[in-house]
Amino acid sequence: MQSWLRTIRLNEFSQQVGNTVTVNGWVFRHRDHGGIVFIDLRDRFGIAQLMIDPSISADVHKNASEIKSEYVIAAKGLVQRRVGVPEKAKYENTEVELVVKELEILSRSATLPFALTEETQQAGENLRLQYRFLDLRRPQIRDKVLGRIHLTRCMRKAMDEAGFLDTETPLLYKSTPEGAREFLVPSRIHPGHFYALPQSPQLFKQVLMVAGFDRYYQVVKCFRDEDLRADRQPEFTQLDCEMSFCDQELIMQTFEQITAQGVGEYLGKTLKTPFQRMTYQEAMESYGVDKPDLRFELKLQNISDLVENSSFKVFSEVVQHEGIVNALVVKGVAEKFSRKDIDQMADLVKNHGLKGLAWMKKQAGSGVASWQSPIAKFFDDTGVAAIEKRLGVGENDLVLFGAGPYGSTKAGLGTLRNYLGKHLGLYDPLEYKFAWIHDFPCFERDSGSGRWMAVHHPFTSPMVEDIHLMDTAPEKVRAASYDLVLNGNEIAGGSVRIHNAELQQKVFKLMGMTEEDARAKFGFLLDALKFGPPPHGGMAYGLDRMAMILTQSESIREVIAFPKTNTGMCLMTGSPTPVTQDQLIDLHIRVRDLRVE
């Protein structure tokens, strides 16, 4: 077997012309051209062509004739330049090939459940996740996972060079039921007691700052036992970071430089800085979401004041009940959209609580006669002129109106804006547009209990100038927090932390948490805050989402080596599964199905 160990990888062929080499890999394609057999061999590094000529060795040719897709083989021979250039060169190393003199089948493959050679995979995702070890052999998926690995390496390098220390924190933690539901781990040694898997290393990294570590980072698994949605996983990966002796401005500057360096190295180009900045309120007003895609200019515009007294009751009554009317003007596309197209967009905004979508197509001329719209009859020429002037409407423009409560109107039109950007090709998909969003609300009412909750988390510092409002108007308090968005996705978020024990207790009290509750849940952090905590803050990057965007993937599952489904199942291993009664007894646990009791 020693003689069959590879001497080169498959991406190194072009430097080996005239040399005898040994290669190993999987059979990607097998072709018999009138006696001469061609094999496209694949390894992690690339694909190369092998040529087996019966005139060189009849035994080798016979052996090659038995080979099928995904067999693992070793081949030894001479690297030479190919005589002709293929009509469609799909792979690297197309100008050279290996003339095989010796060949060994190292292992055989059963019939595949799906083809690995398809450029567009026809097999369903569940089947591919069941056989993930095969799906990962596909160059398309392999390269996305390798891209994630490269991105992680680039970001680690940037963190190291900025003076951050790669420090591990525990995965077995105490349960602090705040925010999302936790995964619990029973303790065998301590009957009836449980660890929790951390939703993030938040408290530990703050304690590290109190301990004087100054700058911390970690590529860490985090866990949330919540109802899953598209592109959510019960276990996910963060690039988690914290720094001391800083304010919000220094934090944003530091991580902007780290992001530009790490992502720039990954992309192989220099990223433009400084990144654009806007407040949360500016983002919501202009884009309807707090993670705007800034690769295109389509903005939401407010016309509430222009329609509050109109005869179109859908608009006027909404404004009179403290709602809003916003519009999107899509330039020069009116003739491209049918009524069916507009109805489909109306269904899209209904998913966010809007009752429908009003619309108008601008034709030649002025006044009501220039509007092709079901709502034109409710406006006079003066009203039409005012709306067109406010919105900057021109001939062949499509105007889409949303009306309702602030939140649902912004969310519906914000989603519609993103749909239009993609549907109409309003941006370059290979452009990467970063932006900071800041000045978020610090507190919000819980829809169920009505009590105040932290928008970010309860360790986020209010803006110093807003602390006095906590007693009288908590809804007006801004948080010293910030999100980093990329192409319409939040890829990182963080805040300045509270480093004053009295302010931390004040926040807990506002949230309805007694001193006893706070001590039971966060006692070790509160103790740490008594012993000289430095001003500190940080952020966490969603590494899965970053990799998805930068590898041009449709789903985060494509960049995770072994992902779970939207229902939290691992189809490859079949988990989660029941465990034996003996295991439950060891853990002092009895399982009851409360749904049938």
Side-chain angles (χ1 to χ4, degrees), residues 51-52 368 514:
M51 189 269 281
I52 299 97
V368 176
T514 66

Side-chain angles (χ1 to χ4, degrees), residues 170-243:
L171 285 183
L172 293 178
Y173 177 48
K174 68 175 293 183
S175 177
T176 55
E178 293 290 328
R181 188 182 292 110
E182 299 166 318
F183 283 98
L184 298 178
V185 181
S187 170
R188 177 183 60 82
I189 301 173
H190 303 282
H193 291 68
F194 294 81
Y195 299 104
L197 299 180
Q199 298 180 34
S200 79
Q202 179 62 45
L203 302 188
F204 285 105
K205 66 181 180 181
Q206 288 192 247
V207 170
L208 280 171
M209 297 302 101
V210 178
F213 274 52
D214 194 72
R215 291 191 173 194
Y216 139 98
Y217 86 94
Q218 180 182 192
V219 177
V220 59
K221 282 288 187 183
C222 302
F223 305 87
R224 291 181 182 174
D225 184 15
E226 58 186 351
D227 295 334
L228 300 177
R229 296 178 288 176
D231 278 348
R232 290 285 180 93
Q233 293 278 294
E235 53 179 320
F236 55 97
T237 305
Q238 287 184 352
L239 173 57
D240 199 53
C241 319
E242 198 81 0
M243 59 189 293

Side-chain angles (χ1 to χ4, degrees), residues 24 68 156 190 199 243 347 394 410 528 545:
N24 300 163
K68 296 180 181 179
R156 281 186 183 275
H190 303 282
Q199 298 180 34
M243 59 189 293
D347 291 337
K410 291 295 186 180
R545 192 164 303 281

Side-chain angles (χ1 to χ4, degrees), residues 6 13 190 207 243 335 337 385 390 422:
R6 66 187 178 188
F13 259 42
H190 303 282
V207 170
M243 59 189 293
E335 60 187 16
F337 282 82
R390 170 74 58 83
K422 183 175 182 179

Side-chain angles (χ1 to χ4, degrees), residues 347-565:
D347 291 337
L348 182 65
V349 301
K350 287 177 182 177
N351 293 331
H352 294 273
L354 286 179
K355 294 182 179 179
L357 192 66
W359 59 274
M360 180 274 287
K361 294 181 179 181
K362 171 68 173 176
Q363 303 176 104
S366 60
V368 176
S370 69
W371 277 28
Q372 179 189 345
S373 171
I375 68 172
K377 60 186 177 183
F378 297 103
F379 295 91
D380 57 23
D381 287 350
T382 301
V384 166
I387 292 173
E388 289 186 354
K389 182 178 180 181
R390 170 74 58 83
L391 300 179
V393 179
E395 188 174 335
N396 198 35
D397 288 352
L398 173 67
V399 184
L400 302 166
F401 303 93
Y406 185 92
S408 57
T409 302
K410 291 295 186 180
L413 291 182
T415 300
L416 179 58
R417 174 185 180 271
N418 287 338
Y419 166 81
L420 290 167
K422 183 175 182 179
H423 180 71
L424 296 173
L426 300 181
Y427 56 82
D428 178 359
L430 295 178
E431 180 183 5
Y432 298 101
K433 191 78 171 182
F434 292 88
W436 288 104
I437 311 299
H438 57 93
D439 285 6
F440 285 86
C442 198
F443 306 105
E444 63 183 353
R445 289 279 191 186
D446 179 74
S447 58
S449 65
R451 66 190 180 102
W452 289 106
M453 300 289 292
V455 172
H456 191 55
H457 58 58
F459 315 106
T460 296
S461 176
M463 298 288 278
V464 173
E465 59 268 32
D466 291 351
I467 291 176
H468 70 283
L469 296 172
M470 290 175 61
D471 297 322
T472 56
E475 72 280 1
K476 295 182 180 180
V477 177
R478 294 168 299 153
S481 64
Y482 34 83
D483 283 351
L484 183 60
V485 302
L486 171 61
N487 295 358
N489 295 270
E490 177 194 338
I491 63 165
S495 67
V496 175
R497 322 303 185 188
I498 298 171
H499 70 282
N500 178 285
E502 291 183 4
L503 179 57
Q504 186 66 75
Q505 288 286 12
K506 186 179 180 71
V507 170
F508 286 153
K509 183 178 179 180
L510 176 65
M511 296 170 57
M513 194 181 301
T514 66
E515 289 189 25
E516 292 75 16
D517 288 339
R519 170 133 310 264
K521 295 174 181 177
F522 313 115
F524 70 95
L525 176 63
L526 296 178
D527 287 342
L529 293 178
K530 296 177 182 178
F531 294 94
H536 62 282
M539 62 189 294
Y541 294 85
L543 198 57
D544 306 311
R545 192 164 303 281
M546 282 183 71
M548 180 193 77
I549 298 168
L550 295 171
T551 60
Q552 300 287 310
S553 300
E554 294 294 324
S555 164
I556 61 172
R557 291 187 292 278
E558 294 182 30
V559 298
I560 299 173
F562 299 105
K564 293 177 173 59
T565 67

Side-chain angles (χ1 to χ4, degrees), residues 9 19 74 156 212 248 313 329 489 561 596:
R9 301 181 177 109
N19 295 334
R156 281 186 183 275
Q248 178 171 319
K313 298 299 183 183
V329 180
N489 295 270
V596 297

Side-chain angles (χ1 to χ4, degrees), residues 128-159:
R128 290 188 288 111
L129 290 180
Q130 181 182 349
Y131 294 94
R132 184 63 169 176
F133 45 85
L134 294 178
D135 200 32
L136 286 169
R137 292 183 188 176
R138 296 172 54 220
Q140 300 93 321
I141 297 297
R142 176 203 66 199
D143 290 347
K144 292 179 186 298
V145 175
L146 292 179
R148 177 204 177 104
I149 293 169
H150 179 44
L151 173 64
T152 304
R153 185 165 57 246
C154 293
M155 293 300 292
R156 281 186 183 275
K157 179 182 176 184
M159 297 297 302

